[in-house]
Amino acid sequence: MWLPLAATLAVSTAALARPRSARFDGAGPSTALVAWDDYLRRFPDGQFVPEARFNRAIALLKLHRTADGRAALQPFAARREPSPSAASSRIRIHRRLG
């Protein structure tokens, strides 16, 4: 099914509410991980894929799935993004990766 760009963005944004709320309402990292995986499955090319992948990695680390979490964070640690928060994010990622 083809949706106009605005409709696709609205659906993707609405779908992002579930994993975000799982992350922030205390539902726990296993609930958040399932929600992030669902978002990534439903919107593999969505606007919020980088955020979903990053938060999925954090959920893996919180679940003590260290090897999986480290592997999921590796692309972020290597990326050179021109944004105000990119440098501080890379520092935090490198600290988590050891």
Side-chain angles (χ1 to χ4, degrees):
M1 174 175 71
W2 181 84
L3 293 173
L5 180 59
T8 301
L9 181 59
V11 171
S12 177
T13 302
L16 195 63
R18 180 175 161 235
R20 278 184 176 163
S21 69
R23 177 177 171 211
F24 294 114
D25 72 2
S30 58
T31 301
L33 180 61
V34 169
W36 290 121
D37 284 342
D38 181 59
Y39 177 84
L40 290 166
R41 181 185 52 76
R42 291 175 58 204
F43 301 97
D45 300 317
Q47 177 181 1
F48 304 108
V49 165
E51 177 183 349
R53 287 183 180 153
F54 183 82
N55 286 299
R56 180 183 183 279
I58 299 304
L60 288 167
L61 292 172
K62 288 181 178 180
L63 290 167
H64 305 287
R65 292 177 52 185
T66 307
D68 292 333
R70 289 172 62 102
L73 283 175
Q74 199 61 48
F76 291 94
R79 191 172 290 157
R80 302 290 182 250
E81 295 180 21
S83 77
S85 62
S88 63
S89 294
R90 275 194 297 280
I91 290 168
R92 286 193 311 272
I93 291 167
H94 283 290
R95 285 183 186 152
R96 282 194 181 254
L97 293 177

